[in-house]
Amino acid sequence: MYKILEKEVFSPIIKLMVVEAPKVAKSCQAGQFVILRIHEEGERIPLTIADFDRKKGTITIVFQEVGKTTEQLGAMEAGDYIKDFVGPLGLPSHIENFGTVLVVGGGVGIAPVHPIARELKNAGNHVIGVIGSRTKDLMFWEDKMREACSELHVTTDDGSYVRKGFVTDVMKEIIEDTGKDNINLVLAIGPQPMMRACCNLTKEYGLKTIVSLNALMVDGTGMCGCCRVSVGGVTKFVCVDGPEFDGHEVDWLELARRGAYFREEEQRARERAKEEHSCQCECGGGK
Amino acid sequence: MNDGPKPRPDNAPKTQPQSKIVPQKNPMPAQDPVVRSKNFNEVALGYSPETAIAEAKRCLQCKKEPCRQGCPVEVDIPAFLKLASQGDFAGAIAKIKEKNALPAVCGRVCPQETQCEKYCTLGKKHEPVGIGRVERFCADWELATGVKIPEVAPPTGFKVAVVGSGPAGLTCAADLAKLGHKVTVFEALHVPGGVLMYGIPEFRLPKAVVQAEVENLKKLGVDIEVNSVVGKFTTVDQLMEEEGYDAVFIGTGAGLPYFMNIPGENLCGVYSANEFLTRTNLMKAYQFPDWDTPIKIGRKVAVLGGGNVAMDAARTALRLGAEESWIVYRRSEKELPARHEEVEHAHEEGVKFAFLTSPTKIFGDDNGVVTAMECLKYELGDPDASGRRSPVPIPGSEYVMEVDTVVVAIGQGPNPLVPRTTKGLEVSKKGNIVANLETGATSKTGVYAGGDVVTGAATVILAMGAGKVGARSIHDYLSKK
């Protein structure tokens, strides 16, 4: 059992939790993920590590409520326990001094981008950060990102905060202003359509772009192959070969289709959980 | 509902005077095939005490004891059968557990027909003694009546890490614990048992039975740390250099699924057998939505491959509601690598077989979901390296088979996480850890390995045998330290 030490509510659907997991904290690195299961009947879901504290033995996760498990997790509070929490999984981000790196976080993807940006800056890179969200209420960690990056640009899709525009609009401006030859690497993490759009843009400029993929997983250790994705025409497992890949090589359509395969079941589970939640037992909705 | 299970034929066990040879095994009571193909309850129901005694009495107690050479974990078979034949089940199970830490598992999933029972003297002219069936009865009897914990030697002060809690790891852990060593087992998943939990279906090996055996191991003083992926949170080197482990046994199994490498294999509805079985067994997708993990099955399922895993997947597909479940295998029935009993059970339950057939392409719809496979017909040519006649494709024999789900069950390789992160550990081209089969010793001092990670995918009992060998060598190694 893994204790939730802190909970922070960024918005009604985006939440942060600091979880006591010393084994994971001891060895994890930026870019890796954990798999958690909140109760005995629960599913295993992957979440990228948003931060860690080796001394305190804690892992920070930030998640958006998109289904039954994340909704139930969101209903849990500090002091509650998560049944299973395993990691660090996947390969760490490749960190070296590339020169100038454009680091982009969209939506809840701001969280996993953060430790990578920090490491890149520590490695001597000039880190240009771009973070974007749909609307002001969904924005978070602007302060932490400002610290992790050399410079930070903020945008919202609807213009409710700082400026109006997608992250790709901001990226385009930065690439034009800085000059594509002065940017050595792009890193983009966020919802799949956003990462795909980023890759379409950077492809025009011939800028290598690393993305962190969120695929469906079961074990997360290379055993089941549920998370397989074609990268450059070769089948890769996101859990052990990734989660980071060259975004220009990823078969985005295949990834999106595989991710949607269980949508009906996910919807069914979610609705059922809501019906159960409407009971009068003051259970708080969590199991 | 159909008719209930057939009445157990236990009412009339074949008890004859001891001198008279009973030519046939007492039949194993089983769920009716029609009923069981729709549920996940155990197929084989187990002997009654009377039948177990009668079956044990069939043993001739011959001098040569040839059965013993067929047991990879060295159980004193004639001795336990003798005790069982006298109705001393406590004595019988104690005798088994001197050597075998997982008797309830072995009694169910060992291929006895190629091991102990293959050598049974009675089996030369008649059916061999149903050794596995009596073993299972004794183990279940003990689980039901209360488990006696075997004696444990005084603590030696040595610490041993076991990586992987499948049959090899659990056996190694049990033997080392009995010798007085402090054993910690590291398991990547959230429950111990490895393939016994994620791979072998509930209807062949109830998960409660596995967990009961694991609980018994814990009572020997074995610590089991789940959610612990060695090669990730720590390495074998760190365990030895920083965590103070005096020796390590690696039993990480064959957990890496092989695919066909044909077009369309990444379509939705194509599962590796590992994914298909893990969703169903470990994550209990057959109880969705009570359990959160879903599985989609469709109307017609094709399972590619002919081994035990393929049979498990095909039988599981029926239980998940498939109208048709097909084994698609590129050789003929004679070459099927699966146990005869599993093939028979699959036939009985209505699994269909497309022999001398292999897919070349998988087709999908606009959403990327499987709709059909293009298959090629084969004929048998000359024997290959494995001694089986090799399949030769018949040009122009392509045809289309409509399917909703494809399960790829063509084998598994070793998971590379531990080999890749352990300095100085020699691995083969295929990625298997190179270890001496007689000692389990690897190229790295103090590190031993056994089971599928060394041999490639094999059986539970061979992995247990390797765990036993590893434990003995580790004990020797520590004794000289």
Side-chain angles (χ1 to χ4, degrees):
Chain A
M1 300 285 267
Y2 302 80
K3 194 176 186 181
I4 301 169
L5 299 175
E6 287 171 44
K7 178 183 178 183
E8 212 176 310
V9 178
F10 289 144
S11 81
I13 55 164
I14 298 180
K15 290 163 189 176
L16 169 148
M17 280 175 181
V18 178
V19 181
E20 191 173 54
K23 260 195 215 169
V24 188
K26 186 179 149 242
S27 53
C28 75
Q29 294 177 59
Q32 292 187 296
F33 65 94
V34 296
I35 281 192
L36 61 81
R37 197 173 74 119
I38 52 179
H39 54 71
E40 184 55 34
E41 293 83 21
E43 61 184 338
R44 294 168 65 97
I45 62 158
L47 287 174
T48 310
I49 294 168
D51 208 348
F52 52 89
D53 187 325
R54 295 201 207 286
K55 265 195 207 142
K56 290 184 186 155
T58 60
I59 295 290
T60 301
I61 50 172
V62 176
F63 56 94
Q64 184 165 349
E65 295 180 3
V66 292
K68 178 181 173 182
T69 301
T70 43
E71 279 172 1
Q72 287 185 340
L73 183 63
M76 294 171 81
E77 299 295 340
D80 289 344
Y81 288 85
I82 296 170
K83 182 108 173 53
D84 299 294
F85 194 89
V86 57
L89 299 172
L91 299 174
S93 303
H94 177 66
I95 305 290
E96 63 169 69
N97 191 348
F98 297 98
T100 297
V101 186
L102 179 55
V103 170
V104 187
V108 75
I110 295 169
V113 145
H114 161 258
I116 307 172
R118 183 177 62 197
E119 294 307 314
L120 285 168
K121 192 176 161 194
N122 285 345
N125 291 283
H126 180 75
V127 178
I128 307 173
V130 178
I131 56 174
S133 64
R134 226 162 51 225
T135 182
K136 185 185 176 188
D137 292 346
L138 299 176
M139 178 61 68
F140 65 95
W141 272 13
E142 186 186 341
D143 51 341
K144 282 187 81 146
M145 278 301 284
R146 207 168 283 288
E147 204 175 308
C149 300
S150 313
E151 53 178 285
L152 186 73
H153 304 259
V154 181
T155 185
T156 45
D157 296 357
D158 64 359
S160 54
Y161 185 59
V162 185
R163 61 165 283 176
K164 181 178 162 69
F166 296 118
V167 287
T168 42
D169 299 328
V170 182
M171 285 168 73
K172 197 175 163 84
E173 291 168 15
I174 292 169
I175 297 169
E176 292 289 344
D177 289 352
T178 315
K180 68 179 171 68
D181 296 335
N182 297 324
I183 295 172
N184 304 92
L185 185 71
V186 180
L187 174 92
I189 306 181
Q192 274 177 28
M194 170 236 146
M195 289 192 285
R196 194 175 177 177
C198 291
C199 289
N200 287 341
L201 175 75
T202 54
K203 211 167 188 174
E204 288 173 26
Y205 293 98
L207 281 174
K208 183 169 175 168
T209 303
I210 302 294
V211 292
S212 178
L213 301 184
N214 46 344
L216 296 183
M217 286 184 194
V218 185
D219 67 290
T221 63
M223 193 186 82
C224 82
C226 175
C227 65
R228 62 195 190 276
V229 57
S230 298
V231 181
V234 178
T235 297
K236 298 280 183 188
F237 288 6
V238 172
C239 67
V240 288
D241 301 319
E244 293 180 9
F245 294 100
D246 182 339
H248 294 164
E249 301 283 332
V250 170
D251 184 337
W252 292 99
L253 180 62
E254 180 186 277
L255 184 73
R257 283 168 163 176
R258 288 188 64 81
Y261 186 49
F262 292 102
R263 198 142 289 169
E264 245 171 72
E265 285 75 14
E266 285 158 9
Q267 196 54 34
R268 207 173 131 204
R270 196 176 182 183
E271 276 161 17
R272 201 176 117 126
K274 279 193 178 139
E275 277 166 31
E276 280 168 8
H277 186 191
S278 63
C279 66
Q280 304 297 313
C281 71
E282 296 176 6
C283 62
K287 267 207 176 177
Chain B
M1 280 293 280
N2 290 291
D3 300 337
K6 279 182 184 166
R8 290 159 66 132
D10 280 357
N11 310 336
K14 292 165 183 156
T15 36
Q16 272 89 359
Q18 209 149 9
S19 57
K20 199 174 164 197
I21 285 176
V22 182
Q24 284 174 325
K25 279 187 194 177
N26 286 280
M28 173 59 96
Q31 273 199 75
D32 179 83
V34 177
V35 176
R36 74 180 190 231
S37 69
K38 302 276 176 265
N39 70 48
F40 275 86
N41 300 336
E42 193 170 15
V43 169
L45 300 169
Y47 278 167
S48 68
E50 295 75 23
T51 315
I53 292 172
E55 187 61 30
K57 278 185 177 164
R58 290 184 64 233
C59 173
L60 302 171
Q61 294 292 321
C62 59
K63 283 259 153 34
K64 277 189 171 170
E65 305 184 336
C67 50
R68 295 185 66 176
Q69 63 172 287
C71 179
V73 294
E74 306 152 12
V75 170
D76 187 344
I77 295 164
F80 99 75
L81 286 174
K82 177 150 206 175
L83 290 162
S85 74
Q86 296 161 346
D88 180 3
F89 302 129
I93 190 64
K95 182 54 75 180
I96 295 170
K97 283 168 77 176
E98 283 175 11
K99 297 290 183 183
N100 186 341
L102 309 169
V105 171
C106 286
R108 287 172 165 82
V109 302
C110 266
Q112 287 99 7
E113 68 278 7
T114 61
Q115 297 180 328
C116 51
E117 295 180 18
K118 180 179 169 185
Y119 300 97
C120 174
T121 303
L122 194 58
K124 284 183 182 150
K125 284 192 178 168
H126 310 287
E127 282 188 7
V129 177
I131 299 168
R133 295 174 179 182
V134 181
E135 179 187 34
R136 169 180 163 172
F137 173 81
C138 295
D140 286 358
W141 176 88
E142 193 194 35
L143 290 177
T145 55
V147 172
K148 192 171 162 279
I149 304 304
E151 266 182 48
V152 173
T156 60
F158 287 114
K159 269 173 78 181
V160 182
V162 171
V163 186
S165 69
L170 291 179
T171 301
C172 186
D175 281 13
L176 287 168
K178 280 194 263 181
L179 291 164
H181 305 301
K182 184 68 207 146
V183 183
T184 304
V185 181
F186 296 99
E187 166 56 43
L189 292 169
H190 54 262
V191 286
V195 72
L196 308 174
M197 289 304 289
Y198 75 74
I200 301 176
E202 176 78 18
F203 57 84
R204 280 216 291 134
L205 179 62
K207 301 309 145 210
V209 169
V210 180
Q211 290 313 306
E213 302 253 52
V214 168
E215 285 308 310
N216 294 341
L217 284 197
K218 289 187 188 163
K219 289 179 193 152
L220 291 173
V222 173
D223 284 333
I224 301 185
E225 295 195 17
V226 296
N227 296 325
S228 300
V229 188
V230 174
K232 285 294 174 190
F233 86 98
T234 190
T235 62
V236 169
D237 293 286
Q238 284 174 316
L239 287 172
M240 296 179 82
E241 286 159 21
E242 295 168 23
E243 308 288 331
Y245 287 93
D246 300 288
V248 177
F249 178 82
I250 304 171
T252 46
L256 184 78
Y258 289 148
F259 286 92
M260 303 274 293
N261 293 317
I262 56 174
E265 215 168 10
N266 289 349
L267 288 165
C268 299
V270 182
Y271 302 90
S272 73
N274 273 359
E275 183 187 351
F276 190 74
L277 292 172
T278 300
R279 281 182 182 272
T280 313
N281 299 323
L282 179 73
M283 306 310 296
K284 304 218 185 304
Y286 63 92
Q287 296 187 47
F288 178 87
D290 288 340
W291 287 61
D292 290 345
T293 304
I295 196 161
K296 262 193 202 312
I297 191 75
R299 198 182 62 79
K300 187 170 170 183
V301 178
V303 178
L304 315 181
N308 288 323
V309 173
M311 299 304 142
D312 284 344
R315 297 171 69 193
T316 296
L318 287 178
R319 286 162 172 80
L320 289 169
E323 286 170 32
E324 285 181 42
S325 176
W326 285 81
I327 290 278
V328 178
Y329 180 56
R330 64 197 184 119
R331 304 182 202 236
S332 76
E333 177 147 25
K334 225 176 97 192
E335 287 80 24
L336 278 175
R339 274 183 86 184
H340 177 70
E341 185 186 309
E342 303 308 326
V343 177
E344 203 167 273
H345 278 148
H347 271 300
E348 283 171 12
E349 290 167 12
V351 170
K352 296 176 178 174
F353 291 79
F355 291 114
L356 294 164
T357 304
S358 188
T360 48
K361 215 180 275 178
I362 305 172
F363 302 109
D365 63 15
D366 292 344
N367 296 318
V369 178
V370 172
T371 54
M373 303 193 298
E374 181 189 84
C375 295
L376 195 59
K377 296 292 285 180
Y378 283 71
E379 56 191 354
L380 289 180
D382 296 329
D384 62 10
S386 70
R388 294 176 299 175
R389 293 181 65 190
S390 57
V392 182
I394 304 172
S397 65
E398 291 90 348
Y399 71 99
V400 171
M401 180 179 186
E402 284 180 18
V403 288
D404 305 300
T405 301
V406 177
V407 180
V408 186
I410 57 167
Q412 302 91 236
N415 191 311
L417 280 183
V418 174
R420 259 187 215 161
T421 53
T422 308
K423 279 181 223 146
L425 188 68
E426 197 188 329
V427 293
S428 73
K429 262 188 197 157
K430 283 184 169 175
N432 295 98
I433 296 176
V434 176
N436 182 328
L437 293 180
E438 266 148 45
T439 62
T442 67
S443 56
K444 195 174 167 80
T445 307
V447 178
Y448 296 76
D452 284 3
V453 73
V454 172
T455 58
T459 59
V460 168
I461 188 68
L462 286 175
M464 290 177 62
K468 202 163 202 55
V469 165
R472 191 176 295 149
S473 300
I474 288 172
H475 181 64
D476 288 347
Y477 169 75
L478 295 176
S479 306
K480 285 175 199 148
K481 244 188 147 177

